[in-house]
Amino acid sequence: MTVVVTVNVEARYRGFLASAMLEIAPGVYTSPQMTSGIRERIWDVLSRWYYELGRGSIVMTWRDPAAVGEQRIRTLGESPKEIVDADGIYLVKYQ
């Protein structure tokens, strides 16, 4: 399962993400069986747009058995939370 959450981003993100994923709530997109190639392409587009526009925040997460807690997380933008690895599990640290 791949999940992307967007906050305070331009409308172009919504259209792009909705073309590849299901929007289950405002700014929350899911895909149950996204390949790594598609996930990388989506992240490349989101990253390029973010660095051009520089507004809002984006989080992408997906299952990865080789990662801490079997979950990978990528972020763009400012977040009031920091995700930290604590002995093999992820914890959220509020800043």
Side-chain angles (χ1 to χ4, degrees):
M1 172 72 74
T2 301
V3 178
V4 175
V5 179
T6 62
V7 177
N8 296 326
V9 296
E10 284 78 4
R12 70 165 55 178
Y13 291 93
R14 184 176 200 163
F16 173 69
L17 288 168
S19 72
M21 304 175 82
L22 177 64
E23 186 174 14
I24 61 170
V28 180
Y29 303 85
T30 65
S31 179
Q33 295 184 355
M34 183 176 287
T35 66
S36 62
I38 293 172
R39 187 173 48 246
E40 289 301 316
R41 173 68 179 132
I42 288 173
W43 188 255
D44 288 346
V45 171
L46 297 177
S47 297
R48 183 170 36 88
W49 287 353
Y50 180 80
Y51 291 115
E52 289 172 5
L53 302 169
R55 183 177 144 213
S57 64
I58 302 167
V59 175
M60 176 186 274
T61 185
W62 67 96
R63 184 179 184 281
D64 181 350
V68 172
E70 297 189 1
Q71 184 176 9
R72 291 273 182 208
I73 300 170
R74 288 183 169 169
T75 61
L76 292 167
E78 296 296 320
S79 173
K81 302 172 190 161
E82 179 182 355
I83 300 168
V84 294
D85 174 1
D87 294 325
I89 62 169
Y90 282 127
L91 298 175
V92 175
K93 177 181 174 184
Y94 290 88
Q95 299 175 348

